[in-house]
Every structure is written in structure tokens, then in C-alpha cells.
Amino acid sequence: MELKRVVVTGLGTINPLGNTTSEYWENLKNGVSGCDSITRFDASKFKTRFACEVKNYDPNNYFDRKEARKLDRYAQFALISAEEAVNDSNLLYEGLDKDRVGVIWASGIGGMETLTEEFKGFFTGDGTPRFSPFFIPKMISDIAAGQISIKYGFCGPNFGTSSACASASNAIIDAVSYIRLGYADVFVTGGSEASITEAGIGGFNAMQALSTNNESPKTASRPFCKTRDGFVMGEGGAALVLEEYHHAINRGAKIYAEIVGVGLTADGHHLTAPHPEGVGAAKVMGNAVKDGQLKPEVIDYVNVHGTATPLGDVAEIKGIISVFGDHAFKLNVSSTKSMHGHLLGASGAVEAIACILAVKNDLIPPTINCDEVDELIDSRVNLTLNKPQPKTVNYALSNTFGFGGHNTSIIFKKFV
């Protein structure tokens, strides 16, 4: 069976670096930090008192008050980013077969804020169960996919994916697979997360996963740096419109890039830690290259998972060297999490957009905040430190890895 080709025709995002795709890219290429003190709640007693929050966000600017009350923050981000992507792709044209348009949306956690607030109300009350009728549909992690499909009347395959920090990449890969096999012509796909809450920060603090560099929050996300001490929580959402190649060509759609290779593996190693030699990471990148029928040396840029955790950064670089050999020292590597933080289940979609725009604009976004590279990381790897680097980018590879050992890789190709 000959698989169908998949192209990207629409982009949308709201994240700590921008409330639109253009604003995101402008701040990304300029090396802007999206981190600051937490404003969502009083974090004064927490070990970590900073995060990468979405800036200047008022849900009433996007939804009427009644609608906003029915949507968890993570679902709001989903609808906002999906709307930008759908409009960007000019998808709602006359004659669109909405039965052939699906939605696959990701969240690693879902409505954590809703869950927290409902439980607070119950446990601080008199014990009488008073829960909102919207509690469950606001909280569940699949509801964003449902909300997007309901808004536009898209009646193709519709579900949510959840694989921790690999969730959005899993959603994208699922959408690619469904289009390749002919189950739909178009997908709105991506992910959103809104876990900057007391429970979110407290839970990751308890795991010792978050940076506690409260003295310098804007430089706290330090992938590859010798002084890194954990990741910085982010929030937001990002959406891609994926289309079957001929469907996009026939309607004259703008095409950003083509998705040519995908990979999925598991470490099978540890609950939260990667395999120290990057075995799972190497396999998933190798699988993506093989799926695209490519040679490893064609890859120009790897947007790494790069969370700034002591174990993860080292293991991922080892995996890259294992797959690419000497070419690992010729391609560019960067972690955009140094700027927008770690958006958990939304990471793969936000970073996919970074890859797509790097391919489109021939510019590698930087890794910021690294003034001294960890000696355990091979110094020959070009980490694109602190400044963007102009470069012809024909192929970009995006990695995302999740707790539980979930590994994903996606390869984006310049469309010419």
C-alpha cells in the first residue's frame, strides 16, 4: 500500500513567548525568556516561585463570560490556538467535507486547575457534596478535542492523546498516520496544558524536577548548562493543520512544510529517568529517519527535548551522537525550552512550530542561558548557544520524551 503524503497548512499558538504564531517566532529567534514570578497563585511558600506563564491573557477577550466558565484554562488555550491554525490554513472553505476532517488533541494532565478548585471547595466546606455540573467535562483531558470538533463541526476521527510530555507529538504522529492511511483528509492536531497551579508546582517540586533558582528566574531554564537544576514549568497551547498533499494542492493551500518521518519507542527503563545512554532516544530518532527513507546526514537541525534536567540533557545528546555519528557535530541542536519553558503535554506542538518555522525561514532558534556547558556533554556538538544561527534547513527533527519512557520524533522537510 502506498502511503499518502502529509503537509502542514496552518499554525496557531498561545504560549509564554507570544499569543500568536508571529509573536512567538519573533521572540523565539530573538532569544527572549518567557519566565517570571508566578502570578496565578501565591507561591511564596513553594520551593519554586517562578514559571513561564502566558502573558497578558484575559479569557474574556476570547470567550463570552458564560462560555469561559465552562472551559478549563487548558481547553481555552486549545480553542485559541486551533482557531488561529484553522484561519491560517483558510480551512473553512465552501465545499469542505467536514466528515473528512478530524481532531486529535493532547494534554498530559488536562484540567488540573478545575480539579484543584473543585476539591478545594469540597474539602474546605461542610462535607456536603457541591460540585459544578461542568466539573467532569471541564477536567477530562479529551474534552479539548471534542470542543474543537463541536465548534467547527468536524466529524472525522476525534480523540485525545496522553503520554506525559510526549503527548502532543503523539497526537501529531497519530494524525499523520490516519492521513497516510486514508482515514481522513485533514486534521487539526496539537496540544495544550495549564498546570501552573499549587498542585502542579508542588507535585513537581516534590519530585525535585523543577529549578529552584528563585534569585534569577529569567535564566533558570538552562539546558546543557553545568549549573542547570531542573526544568521550568510552562503553559499554553499550539495547533497544526495537517492535510493530505493532494487535498492541499487541489484547494491551493499555503504549505509550510511536509512531515516525512515519525518515530515512536519506549525506554522500558524507569518511571521518570531516561536510559542514561540515551538508548530509547537513539532508537526513536533512528526510526523516524528510517520511516522517512532518509540518510541521517540530511538532518540539519534537532530541536531537542532538552528540559535542563541533569540526566535528560546528557542522555539525549548521547542518543544524537549514537544515531548521527560524525554528522552529529555538523548539524545544529537547540532547546527552545530555555525560552518558553516546559509545556508538558503541549511541548511537542509548540516545538513542532519552532521546527517548521526554522525550516521555512532558514534560521535556527537559540538555546539561551547556557554560559558553561556541562563537561559530560560532548563539546563538539553545536548547541546554538545564546544567538540564532542562519542556516539552510531542509530537514528538522523534533524530539519529545515523557515520564514512563515515552519517546517521539518527527521530521519536517522544506516544501519546494
Side-chain angles (χ1 to χ4, degrees):
M1 177 180 179
E2 184 177 352
L3 298 177
K4 297 178 184 294
R5 294 169 65 183
V6 181
V7 294
V8 182
T9 62
L11 303 174
T13 189
I14 178 168
N15 69 62
L17 292 185
N19 294 7
T20 63
T21 300
S22 59
E23 186 181 358
Y24 169 49
W25 177 246
E26 193 66 22
N27 285 324
L28 198 65
K29 69 184 183 182
N30 289 326
V32 174
S33 171
C35 188
D36 213 329
S37 299
I38 290 172
T39 64
R40 299 285 299 149
F41 62 93
D42 180 5
S44 59
K45 295 183 179 180
F46 286 75
K47 294 178 182 177
T48 297
R49 300 189 288 276
F50 56 89
C52 290
E53 297 177 333
V54 170
K55 311 298 187 295
N56 304 312
Y57 178 65
D58 181 351
N60 295 314
N61 292 334
Y62 299 90
F63 310 95
D64 65 49
R65 191 175 299 274
K66 186 177 180 181
E67 184 183 13
R69 291 178 59 196
K70 299 176 183 179
L71 297 167
D72 185 87
R73 189 175 173 93
Y74 104 92
Q76 294 173 12
F77 292 152
L79 286 162
I80 292 165
S81 53
E83 181 174 16
E84 185 188 4
V86 167
N87 290 340
D88 183 45
S89 71
N90 293 313
L91 183 59
L92 301 177
Y93 61 92
E94 186 176 353
L96 174 67
D97 184 355
K98 293 186 177 182
D99 287 343
R100 300 282 298 170
V101 182
V103 182
I104 305 176
W105 198 263
S107 185
I109 298 175
M112 177 171 272
E113 185 172 61
T114 295
L115 183 68
T116 301
E117 292 306 311
E118 291 286 338
F119 278 10
K120 274 185 185 178
F122 177 72
F123 288 116
T124 59
D126 62 4
T128 302
R130 298 185 182 93
F131 291 94
S132 166
F134 299 109
F135 171 30
I136 300 301
K138 282 178 69 175
M139 175 197 67
I140 51 180
S141 61
D142 71 296
I143 204 66
Q147 290 280 10
I148 293 167
S149 71
I150 292 166
K151 178 177 180 177
Y152 298 106
F154 296 153
C155 296
N158 182 276
F159 58 91
T161 63
S162 185
S163 51
C165 305
S167 298
S169 292
N170 265 123
I172 294 168
I173 291 171
D174 282 349
V176 168
S177 297
Y178 276 89
I179 293 173
R180 282 177 165 182
L181 294 170
Y183 290 117
D185 299 321
V186 184
F187 273 96
V188 178
T189 186
S192 56
E193 206 79 88
S195 297
I196 302 175
T197 65
E198 294 98 323
I201 296 297
F204 281 106
N205 267 159
M207 295 175 63
Q208 300 183 349
L210 295 180
S211 169
T212 56
N213 188 6
N214 295 296
E215 294 73 27
S216 182
K218 288 195 175 296
T219 64
S221 184
R222 301 178 177 183
F224 315 123
C225 189
K226 186 176 182 178
T227 58
R228 69 191 184 282
D229 69 330
F231 74 80
V232 175
M233 183 86 78
E235 65 173 359
L240 285 66
V241 174
L242 304 188
E243 274 186 71
E244 191 275 325
Y245 168 77
H246 291 293
H247 187 275
I249 292 294
N250 289 340
R251 73 177 186 91
K254 167 181 79 263
I255 295 176
Y256 283 98
E258 182 174 0
I259 297 179
V260 294
V262 299
L264 296 160
T265 67
D267 270 15
H269 172 70
H270 189 270
L271 190 65
T272 58
H275 190 286
E277 298 303 314
V279 173
K283 287 180 180 177
V284 78
M285 286 182 275
N287 286 353
V289 171
K290 182 178 179 180
D291 180 59
Q293 300 180 40
L294 304 171
K295 294 181 179 179
E297 54 267 28
V298 305
I299 303 299
D300 301 297
Y301 169 48
V302 178
N303 184 298
V304 293
H305 187 56
T307 57
T309 54
L311 296 177
D313 291 4
V314 174
E316 188 169 7
I317 296 300
K318 286 182 178 179
I320 289 171
I321 294 171
S322 174
V323 171
F324 295 103
D326 289 341
H327 183 63
F329 312 123
K330 299 175 183 177
L331 54 75
N332 279 71
V333 167
S334 76
S335 172
T336 53
K337 286 186 179 73
S338 60
M339 294 174 275
H340 53 64
H342 191 353
L343 274 71
L344 306 180
S347 294
V350 171
E351 290 157 24
I353 291 178
C355 285
I356 291 164
L357 294 179
V359 167
K360 183 177 183 292
N361 295 291
D362 290 323
L363 186 72
I364 309 292
T367 305
I368 67 169
N369 300 329
C370 183
D371 50 12
E372 185 179 3
V373 177
D374 188 337
E375 60 269 15
L376 296 176
I377 294 174
D378 195 310
S379 61
R380 295 173 292 174
V381 176
N382 182 357
L383 301 174
T384 321
L385 297 178
N386 302 314
K387 293 182 179 179
Q389 183 173 324
K391 179 178 184 174
T392 300
V393 185
N394 292 313
Y395 293 89
L397 184 150
S398 176
N399 283 335
T400 54
F401 311 137
F403 284 171
H406 313 299
N407 304 315
T408 60
S409 290
I410 305 173
I411 299 174
F412 302 92
K413 177 186 178 183
K414 188 184 293 292
F415 186 81
V416 292

